[in-house]
């Protein structure tokens, strides 16, 4: 019985990990952004006209500017959060699970859920 429970837990863990695809590379073409996983398999494509200008990406999410909003997308292209450009400033980098922006004389750090987690003077 204990052995069966161990096997079921292992299968559940593998299934959860399989659902959480990680981004390894984003290919930019004239009209599309193609997202690839760590094995080189294309996970999908996002139209430039529907998501706007890609500002950066990490293994878990993408950030794009669409008119006056930054949108955070998961690996499959689902919008996780939209943030007003006037609140965020200019995106200067995306790394790990954070987004870094500059607004005036401040450097701001955001998590992938769009929550501000840090601020410091840019000087």
């Amino acid at each position: 019985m204990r052995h069966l429970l161990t096997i079921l837990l292992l299968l559940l863990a593998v299934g959860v990990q399989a659902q959480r695809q990680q981004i390894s590379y984003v290919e930019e073409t004239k009209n599309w952004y193609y997202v690839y996983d760590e094995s080189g398999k294309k996970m999908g494509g996002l139209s430039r006209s529907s998501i706007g200008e890609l500002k950066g990406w990490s293994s878990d999410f993408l950030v794009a500017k669409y008119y006056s909003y930054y949108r955070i997308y998961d690996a499959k292209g689902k919008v996780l959060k939209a943030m007003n450009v006037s609140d965020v400033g200019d995106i200067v980098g995306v790394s790990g699970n954070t987004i870094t922006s500059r607004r005036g004389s401040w450097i701001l750090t955001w998590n992938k859920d769009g929550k501000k987690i840090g601020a410091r003077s840019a000087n």
Side-chain angles (χ1 to χ4, degrees):
M1 183 69 172
R2 192 185 298 175
H3 183 65
L4 180 60
L5 182 59
T6 303
I7 291 172
L8 288 174
L9 289 174
L10 180 61
L11 288 173
L12 180 63
V14 168
V16 168
Q17 186 153 359
Q19 289 177 357
R20 186 178 165 255
Q21 294 178 306
Q22 291 197 322
I23 301 166
S24 178
Y25 177 70
V26 177
E27 176 186 10
E28 299 183 34
T29 67
K30 182 178 177 182
N31 296 315
W32 291 87
Y33 299 108
Y34 294 106
V35 181
Y36 294 87
D37 68 12
E38 58 276 355
S39 67
K41 180 181 174 191
K42 188 186 295 183
M43 295 166 43
L46 302 167
S47 164
R48 283 183 182 262
S49 63
S50 67
I51 74 163
E53 177 188 358
L54 185 66
K55 301 305 278 183
W57 55 274
S58 77
S59 63
D60 293 326
F61 64 96
L62 305 136
V63 179
K65 183 178 181 185
Y66 188 73
Y67 294 101
S68 61
Y69 286 92
Y70 290 113
R71 291 182 181 164
I72 303 171
Y73 295 88
D74 69 7
K76 295 185 178 193
K78 177 183 173 193
V79 176
L80 301 174
K81 181 74 175 184
M83 304 183 310
N84 195 305
V85 169
S86 63
D87 294 334
V88 176
D90 296 319
I91 300 284
V92 294
V94 177
S95 179
N97 283 322
T98 62
I99 303 161
T100 304
S101 67
R102 181 178 182 137
R103 188 178 72 208
S105 60
W106 291 94
I107 302 293
L108 307 171
T109 307
W110 310 83
N111 69 15
K112 70 178 186 176
D113 299 319
K115 180 181 176 191
K116 185 167 51 171
I117 56 175
R120 64 178 174 84
S121 173
N123 298 328

